[in-house]
Amino acid sequence: MMTFIKLFYEFLKTGLFSIGGGLATLPFLKDMAQKYPWFTSHQLTDMIAISESTPGPIGVNMATYAGFKAGITEGGILSGLFGSFTATFALVLPSVIVIIIISKILEKFRKSKTVDDAFYGLRPASAGLILGAMLDVFISALFFGDKLDEIINVFDIVNIFNFKAIILFLVSFILIMKLKKVHPILFILGGCIFGIVFR
Amino acid sequence: MKILIELFIAFAKIGVCTFGGGYAMLPLIKREIVENKKWAQEEEIFDYYAIGQCTPGVIAVNTATFIGYKVKGVSGAFAATAGVVFPSFVIISAISAFINRFSHIAVVQDAFNGIRVVVCALVLNAVISMVKKGVKDVLTFFIMLVIFALVAVFSINPVFAVLASAIIGIIAGKLGFRKDKAKQ
């Protein structure tokens, strides 16, 4: 029982203080790996890989996985599931409360000129933030970063381009622009098949 | 009750289709919430994303809570949040219970090499429409460029970026620097 209370407390803290996206939970998980026998920091690396290669928000995936590992130290699969639930619920609770409060305030002041001005500044910032945060993902998806060290002469630069990925990127981008009615999941499915067929 | 179930299902659908974190969710939210269900307008989604950056918690969850609250108050907020979390919960529990070293399976890796590229294209497409809606004059263009550079090159904390741009927006409004049409 103590494990679940600690699990709830730790993830509540994580949910309250990790600001700005899924991987912001990482420092908190590292701290947990040191403090508790739930999982090791080596398992944490696996956790990140799994979270990134399964659907769903990364922060939530990490909480579910960590909760399961922690819960299972108390018993079988059922207590693992209860651990998953506890960690996920605790992670989400603070932000749900904060967002509900913000929504209530926004509702009241939506018409105010100051709020409108604030959003005038926020909207382009939001676009810049997403592009900035996605840049790493773009680069790692379209280029071979590890080949950078192997560059000996100018012609080796060609090797850092992942041509297969770049072609897939261009083709899918054009299709996405043209076929606005097609659901995004079909493109994702297409990417999945492409990845397996042209491995 | 019906609307709560609808919220749960819509966000569960978004949760299942989201690979690679909250930003990858943007194209799906646009499709399901803005175009299909018409629960919110595109601009509102961008506002939620911006606020979601500087409030605690996972961005995907924050956005779900916002839209759920807008549609059906506090119970809607909880239904949407439960929906967006549910697929991860099921999938991750199953993986941690039965499959060891899931991400090391060759087929999984190949599939994700393809998925990652397509997600990039989807996100780029969504950001382009975001730029069209948000960048309306020189100042907003400048804000976008500077924030992008600060995040990409100097990895500044998004909280500061968001607060600073909101303050710039307010000052610009007060001083009459806004050149977009929305200004009366």
Side-chain angles (χ1 to χ4, degrees), chain B residues 96-152:
Chain B
S96 28
F98 302 113
I99 310 173
N100 269 323
R101 307 183 77 73
F102 168 81
S103 48
H104 296 274
I105 302 169
V107 169
V108 175
Q109 279 180 352
D110 293 337
F112 275 95
N113 286 336
I115 288 175
R116 214 169 295 135
V117 174
V118 174
V119 166
C120 284
L122 282 167
V123 171
L124 184 64
N125 186 53
V127 172
I128 288 175
S129 76
M130 205 164 176
V131 171
K132 278 184 193 155
K133 291 259 159 77
V135 177
K136 289 174 171 165
D137 49 22
V138 182
L139 182 61
T140 40
F141 180 72
F142 192 67
I143 292 176
M144 183 193 73
L145 220 61
V146 170
I147 299 279
F148 167 74
L150 288 176
V151 173

Side-chain angles (χ1 to χ4, degrees), chain B residues 56-123:
Chain B
V58 186
I59 292 169
V61 171
N62 294 351
T63 313
T65 311
F66 263 126
I67 295 164
Y69 182 85
K70 193 193 170 222
V71 173
K72 195 81 182 85
V74 174
S75 57
F78 277 97
T81 307
V84 84
V85 166
F86 182 72
S88 316
F89 183 73
V90 173
I91 293 166
I92 297 285
S93 299
I95 287 176
S96 28
F98 302 113
I99 310 173
N100 269 323
R101 307 183 77 73
F102 168 81
S103 48
H104 296 274
I105 302 169
V107 169
V108 175
Q109 279 180 352
D110 293 337
F112 275 95
N113 286 336
I115 288 175
R116 214 169 295 135
V117 174
V118 174
V119 166
C120 284
L122 282 167
V123 171

Side-chain angles (χ1 to χ4, degrees), chain A residues 53 55-56 117 120 123 180 183, chain B residues 16 18 31 47 112 137 178:
Chain A
S53 51
D117 287 339
Y120 160 84
R123 280 178 196 155
K180 291 203 188 300
H183 198 283
Chain B
V16 167
T18 303
R31 170 57 57 104
D47 298 348
F112 275 95
D137 49 22
R178 282 181 66 172

Side-chain angles (χ1 to χ4, degrees), chain A residues 10-23:
Chain A
E10 286 293 338
F11 275 95
L12 198 71
K13 211 167 70 183
T14 308
L16 192 58
F17 293 112
S18 64
I19 297 176
L23 287 177

Side-chain angles (χ1 to χ4, degrees), chain A residues 27-56:
Chain A
F28 295 91
L29 289 169
K30 272 192 183 138
D31 182 50
M32 275 181 237
Q34 280 162 4
K35 269 186 8 210
Y36 302 101
W38 300 336
F39 45 82
T40 61
S41 35
H42 180 74
Q43 277 174 313
L44 205 58
T45 322
D46 276 0
M47 230 182 259
I48 297 168
I50 290 181
S51 299
E52 281 181 339
S53 51
T54 47

Side-chain angles (χ1 to χ4, degrees), chain B residues 33-34 38-46 48 70:
Chain B
I33 307 302
V34 178
K38 299 194 170 57
W39 280 331
Q41 285 176 336
E42 215 175 338
E43 286 95 331
E44 287 175 275
I45 308 287
F46 303 154
Y48 297 154
K70 193 193 170 222

